[in-house]
Amino acid sequence: RHPAVAASLTNIGSVYQQQLNFPEALARYNQALDIYKALPKEQAADQSATLSNIGAVYQGMGQFELALKHYEQALDLDLQLHGLNHPDVASTYRNLSIVYGEMGNSRNEAEFAQREFLIKVKIFG
């Protein structure tokens, strides 16, 4: 239950994800997530990234509701850790926008794209 083990599991999950072996990717990401959840709050950023990775796998599988669920969990953690105006929050808004677009929900797609844009303007000018 060490963060280095979780990081290795995440790396393995990424390899499986690139190979489109989604069940194995999910297994490794979920193992990593279990480790991160048991660690002190300092590892919450890694937990958020892992939730986003899981969301991306579900997105790749066309399971958009599960993708949204995991991206929303990542967003909640990002907001707790960083507040609204942070690149991680903007990135998660972008992920949500893409999934809504893939679902044909152009209203939510535009809303989350706009949120991403506003954060990036605040951060980067």
Side-chain angles (χ1 to χ4, degrees):
R1 294 224 165 263
H2 191 277
V5 173
S8 292
L9 286 164
T10 298
N11 292 338
I12 294 167
S14 178
V15 170
Y16 282 126
Q17 184 177 359
Q18 290 171 15
Q19 295 172 346
L20 305 180
N21 186 342
F22 297 131
E24 289 297 327
L26 284 173
R28 298 311 173 271
Y29 287 147
N30 279 306
Q31 287 174 316
L33 183 61
D34 288 343
I35 293 171
Y36 287 131
K37 284 181 176 180
L39 294 173
K41 199 68 169 168
E42 294 80 46
Q43 301 300 137
D46 294 319
Q47 182 178 338
S48 173
T50 303
L51 285 164
S52 288
N53 290 339
I54 293 169
V57 172
Y58 282 122
Q59 184 178 351
M61 295 170 67
Q63 295 184 21
F64 300 125
E65 293 299 329
L66 285 171
L68 289 174
K69 173 187 166 190
H70 287 84
Y71 286 141
E72 288 166 356
Q73 290 174 0
L75 177 62
D76 288 344
L77 274 175
D78 288 339
L79 288 169
Q80 289 174 29
L81 289 170
H82 309 297
L84 181 61
N85 296 313
H86 190 276
D88 290 351
V89 173
S91 178
T92 304
Y93 280 145
R94 179 69 184 140
N95 291 337
L96 288 163
S97 174
I98 292 168
V99 173
Y100 279 117
E102 290 176 349
M103 294 173 72
N105 185 333
S106 58
R107 181 173 163 262
N108 282 354
E109 177 186 19
E111 177 186 335
F112 284 102
Q114 181 70 15
R115 289 183 189 185
E116 175 206 15
F117 170 75
L118 292 173
I119 291 170
K120 287 187 175 177
V121 167
K122 261 192 177 163
I123 295 170
F124 303 115

